[in-house]
Amino acid sequence: MNLKCNLYVDGELEGKINSTKEVNIGKHGHINGDVTTKRLVVQGFVEGTLHADRVEIKANGHVRGTVEASELVIEAKGIFEGNSIVKGVKETPAAANLPSNNLSKEDIDKEIKKA
């Protein structure tokens, strides 16, 4: 299914969803398949691979699979089972920029005070 509009699902759907807008899975919604969208809001159940700028798993939402998103928000009582890949993350600082593990307690205290 290829869409250029918002989609609200409150029933069962199996297959791929591609939307340039928002996909909202209602409390009674059940998706089995891959979803690619700008924003995904899950109040029901989704199983598959999800690609979005922002994925929100609401309090009764349940996601099982892989989420690839710039932002992943899981509310209290929301359930996420699977793998998460964060899009657009900057690389970690080089080891040379990190403090040495051989610092004394006094040196660590001095570094903390500087910050």
Side-chain angles (χ1 to χ4, degrees):
M1 178 183 304
N2 294 312
L3 306 167
K4 293 183 181 180
C5 60
N6 294 334
L7 175 66
Y8 183 84
V9 178
D10 210 22
E12 292 189 30
L13 187 112
E14 186 169 336
K16 292 183 180 184
I17 299 172
N18 293 307
S19 175
T20 58
K21 300 279 183 163
E22 178 178 312
V23 175
N24 193 321
I25 312 305
K27 292 180 182 179
H28 304 288
H30 183 134
I31 302 291
N32 187 356
D34 299 342
V35 179
T36 302
T37 186
K38 185 170 182 76
R39 180 174 179 235
L40 176 64
V41 179
V42 180
Q43 300 174 67
F45 180 78
V46 179
E47 184 169 14
T49 301
L50 313 177
H51 299 273
D53 289 340
R54 181 178 173 96
V55 174
E56 297 178 29
I57 303 173
K58 298 296 187 180
N60 293 316
H62 187 158
V63 171
R64 181 180 299 142
T66 299
V67 174
E68 184 174 334
S70 299
E71 297 178 53
L72 174 58
V73 178
I74 305 172
E75 288 186 359
K77 298 190 181 181
I79 299 169
F80 173 58
E81 300 175 87
N83 299 312
S84 172
I85 301 166
V86 182
K87 295 191 303 187
V89 174
K90 294 180 181 178
E91 292 183 24
T92 56
N97 295 335
L98 298 175
S100 168
N101 289 336
N102 297 328
L103 293 176
S104 68
K105 182 183 178 323
E106 292 79 22
D107 290 336
I108 292 172
D109 290 340
K110 287 178 189 175
E111 291 297 320
I112 291 172
K113 288 179 182 176
K114 285 182 189 176

